[in-house]
Amino acid sequence: MAEPLLSVRDVHVRFASRRGPVHAVAGVDLDVVPGEVLALVGESGCGKTTLIRSILGLVAPTSGSVTFDGHVVGRGHRRLRRLRRSVQMVFQDPTGALNPRHSLYESVAEGLRIHKVEGDEIGLVHDALSRAGLRPAARYAPRYPHEVSGGQRQRALIAGAMALSPRLLLADEPVASLDASIRGEILALMRGLVDDTGVSIVAVTHDLGLAWNIADRIAVMYLGRIVEIGATEDVIGDPQHPYTRALLSVVPELEAMERQILRGETPDPSRVPSGCRFHPRCPVVASGEAERLGILARCTGEDLALAPVPGAAPPDRVHAHLAACHAVSADATITAGGEGSAGATPG
Amino acid sequence: MTEAVLELRDLHVTYRAAGVDVPAVRGVDLTIGPRDTLGLAGESGCGKSTIAGAVLRLLPRATRVEGEILLEGQDVLKLRPGKVRAVRWTTAAIVFQGALHSLNPVQRVGDQIAEAIETHARTRSRRTTTARVGELLERVGLPARRRREYPHQLSGGQRQRVLIALALACEPALLIADEPTTALDVMVQAQVLSVLEDLQRDAGLALLFITHDLSVLRSSCRRLAVMYAGRIVEEGPSGAVFDEPRHPYARALASAFPTIGDPASRYRPSGLAGDPPDPTALPTGCPFHPRCPVVVDDVCPSLDVRLRPAGPAREAACVHVGGDDDG
Amino acid sequence: MSELSDVVVPGSAQSPRSVAWARRRRAAGEVWAAFRRHRQAMAGLIILLAVTVMALVTPLLADRTGLSAVDSLDNPVWASPSGDFFLGTDNLGRSVAVQFLYGSRTSLLVGVAATMLIVVIGSLVGVIAGFIGGWVDSILMRLSDWFLVIPFLPLAIVLARILGPSIWNIIFVIGVTSWPYVARITRAQVLSLRQRLFVERARALGASRRHIVRQHILPNVAPLILANATLAVPIAILTETTLAFLGLGDSRNPSWGKSLEEAYTAGAITRNAWWYYLPAGIGIIAVVLAFTMCGRALEEILDPRLRERR
């Protein structure tokens, strides 16, 4: 398997907020290989957006490291600039992300100008617009954001990102603000870009349907941590973490599962529970199953990291199916903190 | 025969913007019986929210509304303004999306609900009102003590619950929910949906549920209507419409949200090419024909198909639908 | 909407720069078209053009000697308007019309020059404070608070007194005392722009601060600054009037404010010599009103939020 394009190692992001310190990202390990789509799934406040912003250096990690293409992402302006040519971002709200005073042409050309890309600017811009599905490009280029539809704005934003031929595309809820009918078109475009150009995509979303549509792997985040990660088929077909199971059960599309609506609100990253951070809402704890398994004390008192799912066929390091749950890893080795994603699977 | 809670007969709504007539709803017939649930789906600009506004007469003054809107047999369009206010809230109430903007930020949520109760039923005493506020909050799954909090102290899902409680304050016969879960997280969305379902079942409310997300409607509504360019293009039992849509637009909407775990949609996101039509310049014939994957070139651009029977208790507006042939 | 695509089609012959210029020309054309449809704005503009032309051609119409009391000894005093003296004469026999003409030059010069000073200081402070933020912002905003809190007129009087009466000092005094308004408005706009997603996108694209300020911040605050500038001119003119009326004006250059002051001290009101004070008063009101009308219209046309509200 190819070397990871992006490696995130034990990244923490802490903020100061009015309600006290917020631990938005609390130790995340993640690898992205070239040409794959990874869906980062979770509720708002789980730190998924902060995590991808820290990959671009838009927020500085408090600790931990991000390595892109063999280089550690630093804070210096020049290094960030180089990074921001190879890593591009697509935003949830295309209307806000385009300067209303700039034509689509100027918005797409902006990255080319910032990075002083050599060559025929008009040709590059038109090429990017057509590849993003805005054809004929010459007709769309001089238009302004308010003159085109929401779906076309998102296409323009993707064109602006792809004009620089990036190797990694970070997409923050790329279809959440779009109509249902437009959604599929944009997702098809993104998947097509991966297949044609070999770009990798990390898509932040709360929509498991998006993951099923385009993602090779899924990482489920809860309160600043990845609680389950694996190939899409594994995570959807055989969810291990009770949080993943609950998320899947409330997706209206999936009738097969009994609905498991978690009580309580979206968790608050300024007040992380002790022990397993999910235990106050965990159905395994609430139903008394944890007690039967004899792990209740560990659930409430012992923090845990990702561990390989027992019984799963061990593929390579990057594609392993991992989960952070005492009930799952009751018979697997538990490493309290640190190298969750590393190492071989136990027998 | 029981009287319908809401009946629309040939409803037309035309906005006036910058001197131009913008037809938003172009002839819609709908019936919702007592305790019935109807889901209204379509992309933005198809006129689905305009219908909600027309029923409660919340549209801008210059808007032309024609046809009949019968709320428990009374034509809303013929009511005096004072009577409209009474009907609004006591017969039909609405829950909008974006709960933050619908609540007064400097008033406790309990007082806002109490105000709604008192405006419409003057006989209540202070104590029964307070008790009623608590009861309403508990019915939407919030502890009664939270009535003392301000909107900003509540999360998005809790605010949406408060709005539902507010809508229930006068025991309406019909609840209109306009994208009530759109801005919410999946888990919170599920919570709000289950509150709505419980209420509908326990309180015997009729529900008109408006959203662009067809998959949400499938499980929470008995019947489904899909709108395109100001008209209903397909209507029928929700399971049937969602699983076997007859109109190509309904088919596109239904497949926009994939069945997770279904190998057919794996790596195959499905969408609909093109953009919603401009209401001031609708295509000739069937307004969907420029985007239609199964367009019949010599028919659709000239034939404006109206709803026709498409199976048991079903209707669809498409040339492909009719007596013998099948989609 | 669709006809716009026919206006500019960037073919291979056009460079992006010319496309951008075509866009700017078109935007300016749109603003001008909207401005022309605005009746108040056009009325204001016509008044301003008339006054400006009058101020420019004044030296051709009248000789400066008409301003001097020594050269006006032969003239009748307190003469009401007549064929000889279009607007009558004052208590020293000087022609009011000549004073009015030369006064327009001073008033306009002070108004425009002081406004330029206000705009330059104000927008610079506003953009720096808003964009850099942190302690820089705190210091600059405390400074502007200081200017806002101090009663404006006494400060202007003291400064004018210390610096001495000359047009340039008056411009300076108005400039340094009035910039905080523009700075505040600009800063607020920059702060909200900085939060906008397209600025974040530019950062994610690797843009430098310079690029963000030049491409995203300045073009978006410029219309606001322009509109505020037209609204600052009347304030500057009125301040000049006030200072001149209080006897702190430039003694060698007549201005409309100074005319009012002289008319007042000479007792024009008790003598019912309306021709002495009315022209200057009407001139001030007309110019101030004209600038305000243009400014409000520009504000409305250039600010998309106000445009939507119409």
Side-chain angles (χ1 to χ4, degrees), chain A residues 11-27:
Chain A
V11 162
H12 290 254
V13 182
R14 290 188 180 85
F15 295 117
S17 85
R18 265 182 301 175
R19 282 185 296 175
V22 173
H23 205 162
V25 178

Side-chain angles (χ1 to χ4, degrees), chain A residues 53 58 81 84 88 91 93 96-97 99-102 105-107 110 113-115 121-122 142 144 147 157, chain C residues 1 4-5 8 10-11 14 16 23 26 196-198 200-207 211 215-216 219-220 223:
Chain A
R53 291 184 42 145
L58 290 170
R81 223 174 105 108
R84 289 171 186 174
Q88 289 293 317
F91 298 85
D93 167 24
N99 187 332
R101 290 176 191 276
H102 287 184
Y105 180 93
E106 285 164 273
S107 288
E110 188 169 8
R113 290 178 191 165
I114 288 170
H115 294 285
E121 187 187 282
I122 292 177
Y144 286 86
E147 295 169 350
L157 213 52
Chain C
M1 308 270 145
L4 285 173
S5 56
V8 188
Q14 273 174 305
R23 176 185 73 85
R26 200 176 70 215
R196 296 279 290 278
L197 206 51
F198 59 77
E200 167 113 350
R201 171 175 176 264
R203 282 180 67 205
L205 276 172
H211 174 96
Q215 294 293 319
H216 297 288
N220 278 296

Side-chain angles (χ1 to χ4, degrees), chain A residues 43-44 149 152 179-181 183-185 188 191 209 212-213 215-216 232-233 236 252-254 259 261-262 264-265, chain B residues 43-44 155 158 185 187 190-191 197 212 215 256-262 265-273 275:
Chain A
E43 293 168 276
S44 50
S149 70
Q152 288 168 342
D179 256 317
S181 53
R183 196 192 102 98
E185 293 279 295
R191 187 68 224 183
W212 182 252
N213 271 158
D216 301 299
T232 302
E233 280 83 357
I236 301 257
E253 293 85 5
L254 205 70
R259 275 211 290 178
I261 300 176
L262 297 178
E265 290 302 319
Chain B
E43 56 203 330
S44 41
S155 70
Q158 289 166 338
D185 263 313
M187 196 55 72
Q191 291 169 350
E197 282 164 28
H212 72 285
S215 59
F257 290 91
T259 308
I260 294 173
D262 174 12
S265 57
R266 178 76 176 128
Y267 287 134
R268 238 170 274 138
S270 133
L272 183 60
D275 286 296

Side-chain angles (χ1 to χ4, degrees), chain A residues 44 206, chain B residues 97-99 156-157 160 179-186 188-189 212:
Chain A
S44 50
H206 66 268
Chain B
Q97 69 165 309
Q160 201 67 51
E179 303 268 12
T181 61
T182 301
L184 303 176
D185 263 313
V186 265
V188 182
Q189 171 176 328
H212 72 285

Side-chain angles (χ1 to χ4, degrees), chain C residues 163-179:
Chain C
L163 296 170
S166 94
I167 290 189
W168 298 107
N169 285 344
I170 288 173
I171 291 170
F172 175 77
V173 166
I174 297 171
V176 295
T177 49
S178 303
W179 62 266

